[in-house]
Amino acid sequence: MKGRRGALRIVCVLLCAMCLIAGAAAQTAGDGRMRFGVKAGLCALQPDLTDMRPGGVGLTASDAEVWGGVGYTAGAYMHISIRRIFLRPSLMWGTSHSRLSFDLLSASPGITSTATFPQAMTLRVYSLEAPFMVGCHLVKQPPFELNLMGGVKVKYNYLVRLTPDSPGTAFDFHGDDSPRHWSVCAALEVRIDRLTFDVGYEYGMNSLRAALDNYVYRPGASPVAGTRLARRMSGLSLTVGAIF
């Protein structure tokens, strides 16, 4: 319940911020034009592991691999034209999932051989996003437009799930150390009359850190000290929308 209330407060703050930005930009634009749009599509965000520290005596990790899955994104935006430049504050919802795998190597004192225990887990992330883009018209011959945009995206992960997939593996995951993070992003948009198509890329600028407590990495083993993971999220999106 607390998480849902926190997410609702974030939505309200983002909506108020969008209105203030749009109002200020409209006054600056003078006789410019403000329009609204909606879009939805697919996203393929993949975590880049920046740190992995297994707990427990003699445990190390190796051969970490990540597979990104296809998620979904949807939202609304304001389009504020200032001659050939435009501003685009947005409010988006997104979900992504990916699979992590690595090997835990256990070396007991006095024993030269090392035991290997493959680990696999699934990461699911649900987030609210507030991109703010500045764009320009590369081609503007109505009803056709080709636009290039760049900016920043503030994100709030209101739900993060990390679940084990390997038999005998178990841990307690309580979420990231902070639900807030941000990324830089760019997009290329094609507009035909009111219909829009765009492909975008974003790169996470800060690492999200999480702890996996009471980690059990093989059947019958006792829990060991928590494993620490850090990641940053990057990837592509492809959306279709309409502007009014």
Side-chain angles (χ1 to χ4, degrees):
M1 182 64 69
K2 291 183 179 180
R4 293 180 180 178
R5 290 178 180 175
L8 182 60
R9 283 194 289 268
I10 293 294
V11 171
C12 294
V13 170
L14 293 178
L15 285 173
C16 292
M18 285 176 60
C19 292
L20 291 174
I21 293 171
Q27 292 180 359
T28 303
D31 58 356
R33 189 176 183 184
M34 180 190 302
R35 307 180 71 173
F36 295 87
V38 294
K39 60 181 181 178
L42 306 176
C43 62
L45 298 182
Q46 180 170 301
D48 178 21
L49 295 179
T50 58
D51 190 23
M52 179 182 296
R53 300 182 183 179
V57 178
L59 285 180
T60 57
S62 68
D63 298 330
E65 295 183 356
V66 179
W67 293 271
V70 177
Y72 304 96
T73 182
Y77 61 87
M78 297 178 183
H79 181 95
I80 306 159
S81 297
I82 310 173
R83 297 182 177 89
R84 293 189 67 87
I85 304 298
F86 59 88
L87 306 179
R88 188 172 289 185
S90 309
L91 182 61
M92 305 291 294
W93 170 87
T95 177
S96 65
H97 71 275
S98 50
R99 188 171 182 269
L100 316 177
S101 71
F102 56 93
D103 290 335
L104 275 183
L105 309 180
S106 177
S108 301
I111 299 178
T112 57
S113 61
T114 300
T116 301
F117 301 96
Q119 305 292 295
M121 53 193 69
T122 297
L123 173 68
R124 297 184 181 275
V125 180
Y126 300 83
S127 61
L128 299 173
E129 307 171 357
F132 184 81
M133 309 282 277
V134 178
C136 65
H137 303 294
L138 299 179
V139 178
K140 189 174 183 180
Q141 297 180 351
F144 177 82
E145 285 185 13
L146 178 63
N147 303 322
L148 179 65
M149 299 176 283
V152 297
K153 181 185 292 187
V154 179
K155 308 181 74 171
Y156 180 87
N157 295 339
Y158 65 89
L159 181 60
V160 181
R161 292 177 177 172
L162 186 63
T163 54
D165 296 333
S166 302
T169 298
F171 50 77
D172 297 328
F173 176 71
H174 304 291
D176 298 320
D177 59 346
S178 173
R180 292 171 290 276
H181 58 114
W182 67 286
S183 60
V184 294
C185 49
L188 187 65
E189 178 188 69
V190 174
R191 175 181 159 195
I192 304 174
D193 196 13
R194 292 186 177 183
L195 193 62
T196 63
F197 307 86
D198 74 73
V199 56
Y201 175 79
E202 67 174 84
Y203 179 78
M205 297 302 295
N206 56 310
S207 292
L208 299 170
R209 302 182 181 277
L212 283 58
D213 297 326
N214 298 319
Y215 200 108
V216 177
Y217 60 90
R218 60 185 175 89
S222 300
V224 299
T227 293
R228 301 293 185 264
L229 294 177
R231 71 187 192 279
R232 67 175 77 240
M233 302 294 292
S234 304
L236 295 168
S237 63
L238 179 65
T239 63
V240 178
I243 188 168
F244 307 98

